Every structure is written in C-alpha cells, then in structure tokens.
Amino acid sequence: MRNDPRTERQATTPTGPGRRAVLRTAFGAGAGAVFWSALGDRAAAHAATASARTDIVINDFESRVWGDWSTSGSAFGTGPAIGDELLRKLEISNYRGIGVASSERDGDGPTGTVASPGFRVQRDYIAFGIGGGDYERVTCLNLVVDGEIVRSATGRNSDALAEASWDVRRWAGRTAHVELVDTAAGDWGHVNVDRITQTDQPERLPVTTQPLYRETWRPQFHFTARQWVMDRLNPGQRQEGWLNDLNGLIYYEGEYHLFAQRWNKCWIHAVSEDLVHWTELQPAFWEESLDSGVQSGSCVVDYKNTSGLSPDDGTPPMVAFWSRNDNRSHCLCFSLDRGRTWTHYKNNPVLVAPERDPKVFWYAPGDHWVMFLYGEGKYHIYTSADLLNWTDTGHPVDDSFECPDFFELPVDGDAGNTKWVLVRGDGKYTLGSFDGTRFTEETSQYVADSGPNFYATQTWNNTGTGDGRRIQAAWMRDGSYPDMPFNQQITFPAELTLRTTADGLRLHRNPIAEITGLRAKGIRWSGAIGDGQSVTLTSDSDPFHCVIEVSVPQGAVLTLDVRGTPVVLGHQSIDNGSGSRPLSSPLRTAEILIDRTSIEVFANDGELSVSRCCLPSRPAITMTGGGGTTELPALTLWALAGTWPAATGARKPSRRPRLSRRRVAPEEPKA
C-alpha cells in the first residue's frame, strides 16, 4: 500500500468529461489569430457520427479466474479482484460490475504480468478504465502488435479508475493483445484495470489529437522529444515527451547523435546528417531498475578498442558514460552498431566517487582517456588507459557547477595557437591550458549565452572526423507549452569560435550555416526608424531567421516586438529577456532565430548570444524606434521551412555535402 493515508471511497458510476472552454493562442499552428476552442464533450460529438457497431468486450474482469489469459509472477494472483468489499479495501473506485484486474491484493511488493490471447482489431478504439501507479513501462496497460508495444497507459497515482482510450485505426485488421504489467515493488507499485473493450464510441477519446510534429506549440526547427506509446498532455519529468539535459553529443560515420535526458529514466536519442533534420529513435538505453537512475554524461568512440568492449577491433565501440541516482556510481553502456542498440556493462560501476555527470574524451598527446567529474562544487579530473579503470589526478577545478564540457579551440582560426575551454552546466566558461592531468585557468568566468533558459550545454565530440567544427547546443530550461504532448526544447546548434575582442579572448556563438538551407522566402527592409516610429515587418506565423545590419546611436534603442515578446537592441547592448547585456563594441549585426516558442539572438557575429523561451500573445513582428534615429542598412526576415518530416511532408534527407564554414552573407539567397 502507499505511504500516504487516504479515506475510504465508495464505488461510483463514471461519467464523461465535462464541458470546458479554453482560450487558445494559435499563432504557432498557423491560424494567426486568437480563437475560442469549446472542447465540450468530444466523445458525444464523435458518437453522433460513428457507425453503430456493437462493442466487443476484450475482458470485463467479472470472473474469479484468468481463464485463457496467461500470467507470470504473483502480482495479479489467480484472477481479478472480485466484490465490493475487497475493492473498497483496496480503495478502488469508479469500477463497473464487481471485478477489477488488480496487482495490489497483496500490497505493492509482488510483481508480474497478465496478458490476453490474441484478437483482431475490429473497432476504431480500445477503451478501458485504469488506476494505480504512474510509472511508464513499469505499472501499465500495454497494447502489443507484432511483438511491439504500440500503446501504453498508466494510472495517475490514484486508485480512482479513470476512463481512457487508444485510437487503433492504424492497426485495423491486425492481430494484437493487451498485457497488464507490474514490475514495481515500491510505493504505488501496482496497476488496476477495468473493462477493456473494442468500441467506436469511447467514453473518453484520446487527449492527443493533433498530428505528430504539427502540434500548436511544437517548435519547427528546434529539437523536441516525441511520445511513442503514451497519450498524455503536459508530460513532466520522467515521462514520454519530456527532455532536459543534453548528453553524449557525438559525430560518427556521417551522423550526428543527439542524446538527452528524459530525466534519469533513459537517454533520448536522435540522429541527423545535417544537424537540422532530426530523426528521433527509440531511447538508447534505460535505467537498470526503477529509480536506479541513468543521469547525464558523455559519449566517446573507442577507436583503438582500449576497453575491449568490442570482440572485433575493426568495429570500435561507442561508449556512453552516466551516473546512477546515488550520485556515486558511474557506469557505462556501449553500442557496436552505430548507436542503434546498447548494452549495460556487466561490471558497472566503473568508478565510485561523488557526484555525477562524467565528461570523457581522448587526450591524444598523452595517449590516454580523461574524465571530468562533477562533485562537491568541483570538477575532478581522472585518467584511464582503457575506459574501465580510472585514477584521480588530484588536480580538481574549483568553483564549478554540474554538466562539464571541455574542448580545445584555435585562437582567431590559428591552429598553431589554441586554448582549452571549460564550460560549466550554467553556460559559464573559462579559458586556459591543459597538460592531460591539470587544467590551468587563465581567465575569469565568462558567459557563453546570457539568456534566461540556457542550461546543461554540450558540444558534439569527434567532429574532427568530419568538418572539424565545434558545435554547441543547450537545454532551453523552463519553457511553457500548454496542453501539448511534449515538454522542453533544445537550442538551435551554434558553431563556436574563439576570437580576440577589445575585452580579450571570448567565445563567439553563431547559428550553424545549415540554417540557410531552411530559407523559404525573404522579406527585405532598409531605412531609418525615428523615435516613436513603428514598422510592421510581418503578421505571418512562420518561423523566421532575421538578419540585421544596424547602427543604433548612443541613448537610443530599437525594439523588435516578436509576437508580444520584446527584443531590445541598444547602441552597445542587447536585451532578450534577461536584462541589458553589453558588447565590447557598438552593435553592428544581429541574427534572430524566431520559432513558435523561442527567440535566440546573436549579436556582432556571435560575440553575445541570448536564448529564451516564450509564448506568442499576438501575431505580428514589429520594430519601434526610441530615443533617436536608428539606421538599418539591411534587414532580411527569412521565413523558414519546418524540419520535421510530418510538418514538411519530406522524407528523411539523403546525405548532403557539408556546407562551407564560411558565414553566409545576409543578402545571399537560399542555397
């Protein structure tokens, strides 16, 4: 049973969803206006048009035995839980009849499964009532087709059964079966299910109704995660559709791999050949057991097979490092098929030390591996010959914070003059030298991106086997996506360079040149804007890439109102929601990436960048002068095509030639 005390509830008769009217802003969906969406009883509306086919009961759980259903383990006993007295004792409510399939009769400890015989999908929906623990993949009801779980549902940490349904029209005529799964032995470690039916008129329709990747607030050129089998809006941490910290970004054999946290449950995985068009794969690997955790880390390719993890030296293992939830055990998984399948190393953990976030890379001059590990406010530096056995160098880096990234960059493009860059999880960085065991800091901490939503940044490793660029992305933490089946997004990839400024050496961040390949049409404007004058650039709802040449006099500002969110360009500063940020010289150029729910600003060829999340409140993009006359020799607002296959109708892009590292001139047309 759960630890939280609850009062006894009586069995009740379930009712359909109530009516509600929700004010929706639909600029991101292309409507370009605010409209009222009276949701009402969608099930009733559907019933009015559905054909009158009789429901097919898969199981109503009114029998005391499982009959031809197969069982494993002890969680579900010899049959459903029968009778009001037992169901009240289990605090189950909203059931029908006298029986419920339950894995709770002997408490939350037992585990097991129960599965139906195969049946042919003959109706549009499968409907059911469900309650119990909210553990995806662990306490759940699954629909299985051809051996693959295609739909799944959980309770919501409540034993009041909630009506739910799956749209199964895509599997019409196919053979399927349902299975109840309980592999959790702790608090809320159970699932309760009642009356599973095939129907054309479910009492409650699925809540995810918009096509994948076309949802109202889904960014169109920033990466977000998808739901694979769940039907849930506003997913939270650990739930399908959520993402947070970036992990293990790596380039290998023509593919960029993006890994990210579905917080400590699994590593989300996507691949791309151009860093723009992403194909999300099933999660790379999961935590070893419920709540053991698989936290942030990094990924390497062991070309020399120093670890011996590959039986064939010609097939180097891709090795991912991560930390368990105990914040002491540091483990690895490895893949021998370009990241498509992964194996937990049988002798995990490979290191025990406080706390987490191992950053691993090959240090060629010393012919050894290096790990930066966050712990106790420091980055501890370890070395290894084989990735499996690690030695503390005793040279930690003080004043550090989570999720380290560490790499070498040429100064002003001179390969003979380099500096090492250490980036903290909050985006702050220092420059210095590294001898394989000790990092000597030579600067104060600077800010890579000063936006309010920039966190847990990482760069793609192993790009030396490609075009050599150092490319960075970050989790845009704390964005809002109301009533969407996804949550959180990633910044657009930015190329990093190290350049001399009036204030000294600084990282510069610029959107990767591949952004030009998304350009669809351009709106051009030039001229001057005086104090109080306004210009409407567009009322379209497209994503945009805005490229500006500008001269703002001292004391003046140019404010771009991006669908209700101000971006303020000053004489020698920019403000994108986190206060005015200074530049080392007067503002000359700005690039602004505008997606449905984010704005990224890059000033003076990337000397300063500011990334933020936002929700539109009106459709237009306008600019207004203040405090003087601002000159704009050139402004181009490029509409951008979406990158998602479902949004563009495009197939996965074929391998395309790498773009030149040359920055594309603002007036240059689409490639």
Side-chain angles (χ1 to χ4, degrees), residues 15 17 26-27 73 110 145 158 169 177 277 311 369 391 393 437 445 651:
T15 58
F27 308 128
V145 179
S158 170
R169 284 173 287 186
H177 74 268
H277 300 85
W369 297 98
T391 300
T393 65
T437 62
Q445 292 189 20
R651 301 176 69 88

Side-chain angles (χ1 to χ4, degrees), residues 16-17 19 39-50 201-205:
R19 293 184 176 274
L39 299 181
D41 190 337
R42 293 185 295 135
H46 179 78
T49 59
Q201 302 177 17
E203 188 162 328
R204 185 175 185 268
L205 286 166

Side-chain angles (χ1 to χ4, degrees), residues 400-659:
S400 298
F401 183 70
E402 295 189 342
C403 303
D405 195 14
F406 191 60
F407 48 87
E408 192 175 16
L409 280 180
V411 176
D412 297 323
D414 180 2
N417 179 21
T418 64
K419 291 294 181 184
W420 284 84
V421 185
L422 176 61
V423 186
R424 280 80 174 166
D426 57 6
K428 294 180 180 178
Y429 69 94
T430 52
L431 307 176
S433 60
F434 182 62
D435 64 4
T437 62
R438 184 195 298 265
F439 174 58
T440 302
E441 291 182 288
E442 300 172 355
T443 68
S444 302
Q445 292 189 20
Y446 304 130
V447 177
D449 184 290
S450 58
N453 305 111
F454 190 88
Y455 194 74
T457 177
Q458 292 285 298
T459 56
W460 269 271
N461 289 329
N462 202 40
T463 55
T465 63
D467 59 22
R469 291 178 295 173
R470 178 61 61 170
I471 299 168
Q472 184 185 62
W475 168 30
M476 299 188 80
R477 181 171 64 174
D478 297 334
S480 177
Y481 314 88
D483 294 332
M484 292 290 101
F486 68 92
N487 204 336
Q488 309 299 295
Q489 65 180 301
I490 299 300
T491 61
F492 189 76
E495 181 178 358
L496 299 184
T497 53
L498 191 56
R499 306 185 197 178
T500 302
T501 73
D503 295 331
L505 284 179
R506 295 292 188 272
L507 273 182
H508 284 55
R509 303 181 71 253
N510 277 300
I512 57 172
E514 286 88 339
I515 187 73
T516 62
L518 298 178
R519 290 175 177 173
K521 59 183 178 180
I523 300 169
R524 301 179 186 275
W525 194 93
S526 62
I529 296 183
D531 185 18
Q533 291 183 320
S534 293
V535 173
T536 298
L537 295 172
T538 183
S539 294
D540 289 347
S541 60
D542 293 330
F544 284 101
H545 179 202
C546 184
V547 182
I548 305 174
E549 296 178 19
V550 64
S551 177
V552 184
Q554 288 189 354
V557 295
L558 178 68
T559 300
L560 278 79
D561 184 300
V562 181
R563 298 169 183 150
T565 299
V567 176
V568 182
L569 308 182
H571 170 68
Q572 200 166 325
S573 66
I574 58 174
D575 185 352
N576 187 26
S578 57
S580 181
R581 303 297 182 184
L583 292 156
S584 64
S585 60
L587 179 64
R588 306 179 309 277
T589 63
E591 289 189 59
I592 306 174
L593 304 185
I594 302 167
D595 211 336
R596 289 181 177 176
T597 50
S598 64
I599 302 171
E600 296 184 76
V601 182
F602 303 82
N604 284 0
D605 201 21
E607 178 192 333
L608 179 63
S609 65
V610 189
S611 302
R612 71 174 300 180
C613 301
C614 58
L615 275 173
S617 60
R618 49 183 175 266
I621 299 176
T622 65
M623 55 184 179
T624 303
T629 299
T630 294
E631 300 288 339
L632 289 103
L635 182 153
T636 305
L637 195 64
W638 297 95
L640 298 181
T643 63
W644 299 114
T648 63
R651 301 176 69 88
K652 183 178 183 290
S654 59
R655 190 172 303 239
R656 60 186 67 187
R658 298 187 187 96
L659 296 181

Side-chain angles (χ1 to χ4, degrees), residues 1-2 4-12 83-95 158-160:
M1 300 293 288
R2 278 84 42 223
D4 56 320
R6 293 175 293 168
T7 56
E8 184 175 282
R9 294 184 293 268
Q10 299 296 318
T12 58
D84 289 345
E85 181 178 355
L86 175 57
L87 296 177
R88 282 195 296 267
K89 178 181 177 181
L90 298 175
E91 301 177 356
I92 299 173
S93 62
N94 294 351
Y95 56 89
S158 170
D159 287 325

Side-chain angles (χ1 to χ4, degrees), residues 126 128 140-145 148-153 165-171 177-179 206 208 226-231 240:
I126 291 178
F128 48 89
C140 54
L141 171 68
N142 296 329
L143 175 67
V144 181
V145 179
E148 178 185 359
I149 298 172
V150 297
R151 288 290 179 265
S152 186
S165 66
W166 297 316
D167 184 337
V168 294
R169 284 173 287 186
R170 72 178 66 180
W171 300 286
H177 74 268
V178 293
E179 62 180 13
T208 302
R226 60 165 292 178
Q227 289 185 343
W228 293 91
V229 298
M230 296 297 295
D231 177 42
E240 273 196 350

Side-chain angles (χ1 to χ4, degrees), residues 136 208 211-215 217-230 232 234-236 238-246 258-263 266-270 278-283 475 481 484-491 644:
E136 294 178 6
T208 302
L212 178 64
Y213 301 130
R214 297 183 183 180
E215 301 94 341
W217 300 125
R218 174 84 71 173
Q220 291 302 286
F221 64 99
H222 288 74
F223 181 79
T224 51
R226 60 165 292 178
Q227 289 185 343
W228 293 91
V229 298
M230 296 297 295
R232 188 196 299 264
N234 306 308
R238 309 188 184 194
Q239 296 170 347
E240 273 196 350
W242 171 273
L243 65 77
N244 51 289
D245 299 21
L246 288 167
L258 184 154
F259 300 97
Q261 287 280 294
R262 181 185 301 162
W263 183 58
C266 63
W267 275 27
I268 294 167
H269 188 195
W278 292 98
T279 299
E280 187 172 356
L281 308 176
Q282 289 280 358
W475 168 30
Y481 314 88
M484 292 290 101
F486 68 92
N487 204 336
Q488 309 299 295
Q489 65 180 301
I490 299 300
T491 61
W644 299 114

